PDB file of all heavy atoms in Angstrom:
ATOM      1  N   SER I 663     -60.999  66.020 -41.053  1.00 95.00           N
ATOM      2  CA  SER I 663     -60.751  65.440 -42.379  1.00 95.00           C
ATOM      3  C   SER I 663     -59.376  65.804 -42.935  1.00 95.00           C
ATOM      4  O   SER I 663     -58.946  65.248 -43.936  1.00 95.00           O
ATOM      5  CB  SER I 663     -61.845  65.870 -43.362  1.00 95.00           C
ATOM      6  OG  SER I 663     -61.820  67.272 -43.503  1.00 95.00           O
ATOM      7  N   GLU I 664     -58.677  66.720 -42.273  1.00 96.00           N
ATOM      8  CA  GLU I 664     -57.307  67.037 -42.688  1.00 96.00           C
ATOM      9  C   GLU I 664     -56.292  66.174 -41.934  1.00 96.00           C
ATOM     10  O   GLU I 664     -55.075  66.319 -42.127  1.00 96.00           O
ATOM     11  CB  GLU I 664     -57.007  68.527 -42.447  1.00 96.00           C
ATOM     12  CG  GLU I 664     -57.774  69.461 -43.387  1.00 96.00           C
ATOM     13  CD  GLU I 664     -57.353  69.301 -44.850  1.00 96.00           C
ATOM     14  OE1 GLU I 664     -56.141  69.327 -45.114  1.00 96.00           O
ATOM     15  OE2 GLU I 664     -58.230  69.134 -45.718  1.00 96.00           O
ATOM     16  N   VAL I 665     -56.790  65.306 -41.060  1.00 94.00           N
ATOM     17  CA  VAL I 665     -55.898  64.444 -40.270  1.00 94.00           C
ATOM     18  C   VAL I 665     -56.215  62.964 -40.490  1.00 94.00           C
ATOM     19  O   VAL I 665     -55.323  62.129 -40.570  1.00 94.00           O
ATOM     20  CB  VAL I 665     -56.009  64.778 -38.755  1.00 94.00           C
ATOM     21  CG1 VAL I 665     -55.122  63.857 -37.925  1.00 94.00           C
ATOM     22  CG2 VAL I 665     -55.656  66.240 -38.489  1.00 94.00           C
ATOM     23  N   THR I 666     -57.508  62.673 -40.595  1.00 94.00           N
ATOM     24  CA  THR I 666     -57.949  61.281 -40.667  1.00 94.00           C
ATOM     25  C   THR I 666     -58.831  61.038 -41.886  1.00 94.00           C
ATOM     26  O   THR I 666     -59.669  61.869 -42.224  1.00 94.00           O
ATOM     27  CB  THR I 666     -58.774  60.933 -39.395  1.00 94.00           C
ATOM     28  OG1 THR I 666     -57.953  61.135 -38.249  1.00 94.00           O
ATOM     29  CG2 THR I 666     -59.262  59.499 -39.428  1.00 94.00           C
ATOM     30  N   GLN I 667     -58.607  59.911 -42.553  1.00 96.00           N
ATOM     31  CA  GLN I 667     -59.479  59.501 -43.644  1.00 96.00           C
ATOM     32  C   GLN I 667     -59.755  58.001 -43.530  1.00 96.00           C
ATOM     33  O   GLN I 667     -58.826  57.211 -43.415  1.00 96.00           O
ATOM     34  CB  GLN I 667     -58.838  59.797 -45.007  1.00 96.00           C
ATOM     35  CG  GLN I 667     -58.935  61.261 -45.426  1.00 96.00           C
ATOM     36  CD  GLN I 667     -60.344  61.697 -45.814  1.00 96.00           C
ATOM     37  OE1 GLN I 667     -61.172  60.893 -46.231  1.00 96.00           O
ATOM     38  NE2 GLN I 667     -60.627  62.984 -45.666  1.00 96.00           N
ATOM     39  N   PHE I 668     -61.024  57.657 -43.545  1.00 95.00           N
ATOM     40  CA  PHE I 668     -61.413  56.251 -43.556  1.00 95.00           C
ATOM     41  C   PHE I 668     -61.730  55.877 -45.000  1.00 95.00           C
ATOM     42  O   PHE I 668     -62.606  56.462 -45.626  1.00 95.00           O
ATOM     43  CB  PHE I 668     -62.649  56.045 -42.669  1.00 95.00           C
ATOM     44  CG  PHE I 668     -62.914  54.609 -42.318  1.00 95.00           C
ATOM     45  CD1 PHE I 668     -62.747  54.156 -41.015  1.00 95.00           C
ATOM     46  CD2 PHE I 668     -63.322  53.697 -43.289  1.00 95.00           C
ATOM     47  CE1 PHE I 668     -62.988  52.829 -40.683  1.00 95.00           C
ATOM     48  CE2 PHE I 668     -63.553  52.364 -42.963  1.00 95.00           C
ATOM     49  CZ  PHE I 668     -63.394  51.923 -41.658  1.00 95.00           C
ATOM     50  N   VAL I 669     -60.973  54.933 -45.551  1.00 97.00           N
ATOM     51  CA  VAL I 669     -61.192  54.503 -46.931  1.00 97.00           C
ATOM     52  C   VAL I 669     -62.024  53.220 -46.908  1.00 97.00           C
ATOM     53  O   VAL I 669     -61.621  52.230 -46.294  1.00 97.00           O
ATOM     54  CB  VAL I 669     -59.839  54.258 -47.635  1.00 97.00           C
ATOM     55  CG1 VAL I 669     -60.048  53.673 -49.021  1.00 97.00           C
ATOM     56  CG2 VAL I 669     -59.036  55.560 -47.714  1.00 97.00           C
ATOM     57  N   VAL I 670     -63.182  53.270 -47.537  1.00 96.00           N
ATOM     58  CA  VAL I 670     -64.068  52.105 -47.514  1.00 96.00           C
ATOM     59  C   VAL I 670     -63.816  51.241 -48.746  1.00 96.00           C
ATOM     60  O   VAL I 670     -63.753  51.750 -49.869  1.00 96.00           O
ATOM     61  CB  VAL I 670     -65.548  52.548 -47.462  1.00 96.00           C
ATOM     62  CG1 VAL I 670     -66.472  51.332 -47.449  1.00 96.00           C
ATOM     63  CG2 VAL I 670     -65.800  53.416 -46.239  1.00 96.00           C
ATOM     64  N   VAL I 671     -63.627  49.950 -48.515  1.00 97.00           N
ATOM     65  CA  VAL I 671     -63.381  49.020 -49.610  1.00 97.00           C
ATOM     66  C   VAL I 671     -64.616  48.142 -49.786  1.00 97.00           C
ATOM     67  O   VAL I 671     -65.208  47.675 -48.816  1.00 97.00           O
ATOM     68  CB  VAL I 671     -62.145  48.127 -49.332  1.00 97.00           C
ATOM     69  CG1 VAL I 671     -61.797  47.299 -50.568  1.00 97.00           C
ATOM     70  CG2 VAL I 671     -60.960  48.985 -48.905  1.00 97.00           C
ATOM     71  N   SER I 672     -64.999  47.929 -51.057  1.00 97.00           N
ATOM     72  CA  SER I 672     -66.178  47.113 -51.332  1.00 97.00           C
ATOM     73  C   SER I 672     -65.957  46.351 -52.632  1.00 97.00           C
ATOM     74  O   SER I 672     -64.988  46.594 -53.351  1.00 97.00           O
ATOM     75  CB  SER I 672     -67.408  48.026 -51.448  1.00 97.00           C
ATOM     76  OG  SER I 672     -68.572  47.282 -51.706  1.00 97.00           O
ATOM     77  N   ILE I 673     -66.819  45.409 -52.907  1.00 97.00           N
ATOM     78  CA  ILE I 673     -66.838  44.787 -54.225  1.00 97.00           C
ATOM     79  C   ILE I 673     -68.210  45.064 -54.832  1.00 97.00           C
ATOM     80  O   ILE I 673     -69.127  45.483 -54.116  1.00 97.00           O
ATOM     81  CB  ILE I 673     -66.548  43.263 -54.164  1.00 97.00           C
ATOM     82  CG1 ILE I 673     -67.482  42.571 -53.175  1.00 97.00           C
ATOM     83  CG2 ILE I 673     -65.102  42.999 -53.784  1.00 97.00           C
ATOM     84  CD1 ILE I 673     -67.346  41.053 -53.148  1.00 97.00           C
ATOM     85  N   ALA I 674     -68.354  44.842 -56.130  1.00 97.00           N
ATOM     86  CA  ALA I 674     -69.601  45.213 -56.800  1.00 97.00           C
ATOM     87  C   ALA I 674     -70.660  44.122 -56.634  1.00 97.00           C
ATOM     88  O   ALA I 674     -71.215  43.624 -57.609  1.00 97.00           O
ATOM     89  CB  ALA I 674     -69.331  45.516 -58.273  1.00 97.00           C
TER      90      ALA I 674
END
Side-chain angles (χ1 to χ4, degrees):
S663 62
E664 290 294 310
V665 178
T666 301
Q667 282 289 334
F668 195 111
V669 174
V670 180
V671 188
S672 180
I673 53 175

